[in-house]
């Protein structure tokens, strides 16, 4: 296979995609604006934690089918996989997408595929087409489509291949051309629609998850007030054949579920009341956890006449990964520290100092008085009141 691919953005989606394609016979030129990331990848190493990714990158680099750079180049296929954060008041920010589009415009030629994988507000793919038109590119002679990523951190390399994908082009020709590309390496079904529906589908998928997590988090606060074990309650309720309540946590994080619902709320405020309230509930759950911890500190101080040392176990937004984007656990740690509490972070998946100083799990369990479990990393599975009878264990993760 002699087709070349240029992937813009080598983060949690871009790098796995680039690495996978390089292992599937494509010649891949990956682009990132951070020179240190480029250097790490070109050495055959990775800058993020994701099972199996290291071997894919090593194979791609050693075979000379994967190279990283800070600038784009000519290719047959361009994939945009850059962040799409939000601005103040939760307004979508697609500046990175537009910047990526401008960066590849000088290299686009007739017949190219331009694919937006970044989760984006409805209408973003059309804006890419308009931007390219502004550069004098005849969009009828290229193929532009949205194909949102649908992978679970921790299982990305497997799900990039096995999951169904949705392709929505700006026209039928684009949809068909991009569908053929994904069918060359995806084992799941490649489903087709138009660009706006593909964009909305990804937002709806994540909003659905957010709403259901909000229900679980709301239940956890109700059960705390009613002195009911919420996990036992959920386990019993889920015995009903048509009930499947998710597990509560300390909030909702990650670039997708914690962000994407706001794209719908921002564009359709009149009709997105449930989606908005779910978002607010999940944000409030994080503040609720902080207040619970602060109350335990007050109780400790009144009992022992001293300030407790607090260990926050887990900073990532979900178990067994290093992704801190929108992580409620990281927010909890930072706010406790800002409040002047003697708090320590334990995150086995990041290097200390990046971005916060951490201590080891052993240090935390030995030296801290209050153990707060915020993320259910595998390293924390055996921690309980039975295993540490002299410590106060606050478990918001399991």
């Amino acid at each position: 296979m002699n087709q070349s691919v240029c992937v813009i953005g080598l983060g949690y989606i871009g790098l796995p995609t680039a690495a996978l394609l390089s292992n599937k016979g494509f010649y891949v030129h990956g682009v990132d604006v951070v020179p240190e990331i480029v250097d790490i990848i070109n050495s055959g190493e990775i800058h993020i934690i994701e099972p199996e990714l290291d071997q894919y990158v090593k194979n791609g680099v050693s075979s000379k089918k994967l190279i990283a750079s800070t600038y784009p180049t000519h290719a047959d296929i361009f994939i945009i996989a850059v962040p799409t954060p939000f601005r103040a008041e939760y307004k979508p920010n697609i500046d990175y997408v537009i910047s990526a589009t401008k960066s590849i415009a000088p290299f686009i030629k007739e017949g190219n595929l331009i694919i937006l994988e970044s989760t984006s507000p409805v209408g973003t793919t059309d804006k890419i087409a308009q931007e390219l038109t502004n550069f004098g590119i005849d969009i009828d002679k290229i193929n532009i489509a949205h194909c949102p990523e649908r992978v679970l951190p921790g299982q990305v390399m497997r799900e990039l291949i096995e999951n169904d994908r949705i392709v929505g082009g700006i026209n039928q020709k684009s949809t068909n051309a991009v569908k053929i590309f994904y069918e060359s390496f995806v084992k799941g079904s490649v489903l087709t629609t138009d660009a706006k529906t593909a964009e909305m589908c990804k937002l709806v998928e994540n909003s659905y998850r957010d709403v259901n997590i909000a229900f679980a988090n709301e239940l956890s606060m109700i059960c705390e007030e009613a002195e009911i074990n919420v996990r036992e309650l959920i386990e019993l309720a889920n015995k009903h054949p048509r009930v499947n309540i998710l597990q509560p946590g300390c909030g909702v994080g990650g670039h997708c579920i914690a962000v994407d619902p706001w794209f719908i709320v921002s564009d359709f405020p009149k009709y997105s009341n449930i989606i908005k309230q779910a978002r607010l509930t999940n944000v409030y759950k994080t503040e609720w956890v902080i207040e619970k911890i602060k109350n335990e500190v007050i109780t400790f101080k009144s009992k022992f006449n001293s300030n407790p040392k607090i260990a926050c176990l887990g900073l990532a937004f979900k178990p067994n990964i290093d992704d801190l984007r929108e992580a409620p656990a990281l927010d909890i740690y930072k706010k406790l520290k800002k409040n002047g509490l003697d708090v320590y972070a334990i995150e086995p998946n990041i290097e200390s100092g990046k971005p916060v100083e951490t201590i080891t799990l052993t240090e935390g369990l030995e030296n801290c008085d209050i153990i707060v479990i915020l993320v259910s990393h595998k390293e924390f599975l055996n921690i309980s009141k039975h295993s540490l009878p002299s410590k106060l264990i606050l478990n918001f993760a399991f």
Side-chain angles (χ1 to χ4, degrees):
M1 184 179 294
N2 295 317
Q3 279 191 305
S4 58
V5 182
C6 182
V7 178
I8 311 298
L10 296 175
Y12 288 91
I13 298 301
L15 180 57
T17 301
L20 173 64
L21 292 173
S22 72
N23 280 246
K24 294 292 183 179
F26 294 89
Y27 289 91
V28 182
H29 182 97
V31 180
D32 202 279
V33 296
V34 181
E36 291 81 5
I37 291 177
V38 169
D39 292 341
I40 290 170
I41 294 168
N42 283 333
S43 69
E45 303 294 329
I46 58 176
H47 63 288
I48 55 178
I49 289 180
E50 180 61 45
E52 302 181 48
L53 175 60
D54 56 346
Q55 193 59 52
Y56 275 88
V57 170
K58 184 177 180 180
N59 292 343
V61 172
S62 62
S63 68
K64 301 188 184 304
K65 288 194 172 181
L66 173 62
I67 185 171
S69 174
T70 55
Y71 52 87
T73 189
H74 291 281
D76 300 304
I77 301 157
F78 293 87
I79 297 176
I80 297 174
V82 296
T84 48
F86 48 69
R87 306 180 193 274
E89 299 181 355
Y90 303 111
K91 299 295 182 182
N93 180 357
I94 61 169
D95 288 354
Y96 294 121
V97 172
I98 299 303
S99 178
T101 302
K102 291 178 178 178
S103 75
I104 64 175
F107 302 98
I108 291 175
K109 60 183 184 295
E110 183 175 342
N112 278 171
L113 274 60
I114 292 85
I115 304 167
L116 174 64
E117 285 209 358
S118 304
T119 304
S120 304
V122 174
T124 303
T125 309
D126 288 336
K127 290 179 180 178
I128 289 176
Q130 182 59 55
E131 194 65 44
L132 294 178
T133 299
N134 295 341
F135 275 84
I137 296 171
D138 185 349
I139 61 172
D140 290 330
K141 294 183 178 180
I142 59 175
N143 302 287
I144 305 172
H146 182 50
C147 183
E149 54 86 7
R150 306 173 97 189
V151 293
L152 182 70
Q155 301 181 40
V156 171
M157 302 314 298
R158 178 178 64 80
E159 293 199 349
L160 278 175
I161 298 172
E162 296 181 1
N163 286 1
D164 294 346
R165 299 298 293 265
I166 298 172
V167 171
I170 61 169
N171 51 41
Q172 193 61 50
K173 178 177 72 72
S174 294
T175 301
N176 294 340
V178 174
K179 172 183 166 69
I180 292 170
F181 165 63
Y182 280 97
E183 285 180 334
S184 70
F185 65 91
V186 170
K187 292 182 180 179
S189 299
V190 180
L191 311 171
T192 60
T193 183
D194 58 83
K196 286 186 177 181
T197 303
E199 290 162 342
M200 180 63 90
C201 189
K202 178 59 187 295
L203 302 182
V204 166
E205 291 166 6
N206 287 328
S207 296
Y208 171 86
R209 293 276 296 168
D210 199 39
V211 168
N212 282 272
I213 295 170
F215 179 69
N217 279 334
E218 196 166 86
L219 275 182
S220 71
M221 293 182 284
I222 292 170
C223 287
E224 176 78 11
E225 189 77 14
E227 298 182 343
I228 293 172
N229 185 318
V230 67
R231 284 168 177 80
E232 180 186 1
L233 173 68
I234 290 173
E235 182 179 357
L236 291 170
N238 283 348
K239 297 298 183 182
H240 189 290
R242 288 173 295 281
V243 174
N244 184 24
I245 303 169
L246 302 180
Q247 294 300 311
C250 62
V252 173
H255 180 64
C256 291
I257 299 179
V259 175
D260 299 350
W262 288 121
F263 293 178
I264 297 178
V265 173
S266 177
D267 288 344
F268 309 97
K270 184 177 178 180
Y271 304 108
S272 53
N273 297 316
I274 292 175
I275 296 172
K276 180 178 181 180
Q277 186 54 54
R279 223 24 342 264
L280 295 175
T281 296
N282 286 329
V283 170
Y284 175 71
K285 180 61 187 295
T286 300
E287 298 300 321
W288 183 86
V289 169
I290 292 171
E291 289 304 309
K292 285 289 177 184
I293 296 170
K294 289 165 67 175
N295 287 339
E296 292 294 345
V297 169
I298 293 171
T299 301
F300 185 97
K301 289 172 68 174
S302 65
K303 183 177 181 180
F304 297 102
N305 197 30
S306 64
N307 293 316
K309 292 183 178 180
I310 307 164
C312 286
L313 275 57
L315 299 178
F317 83 84
K318 63 169 291 180
N320 306 318
I321 63 171
D322 67 341
D323 195 340
L324 303 179
R325 291 177 297 176
E326 309 298 327
L330 178 60
D331 187 40
I332 290 166
Y333 165 75
K334 287 183 174 180
K335 286 181 177 176
L336 292 175
K337 201 168 186 65
K338 188 176 180 180
N339 274 269
L341 301 181
D342 193 6
V343 58
Y344 301 86
I346 298 169
E347 177 47 77
N349 295 304
I350 68 170
E351 183 180 339
S352 183
K354 297 182 178 180
V356 300
E357 294 295 332
T358 62
I359 62 173
T360 67
L361 178 59
T362 299
E363 290 173 321
L365 298 183
E366 287 181 355
N367 301 323
C368 292
D369 307 293
I370 301 177
I371 311 299
V372 182
I373 306 175
L374 297 173
V375 186
S376 54
H377 289 320
K378 62 181 184 294
E379 291 86 353
F380 309 153
L381 293 178
N382 295 322
I383 298 173
S384 67
K385 293 179 181 179
H386 298 292
S387 64
L388 295 169
S390 65
K391 308 288 184 177
L392 174 60
I393 310 293
L394 301 178
N395 191 341
F396 298 105
F398 296 96

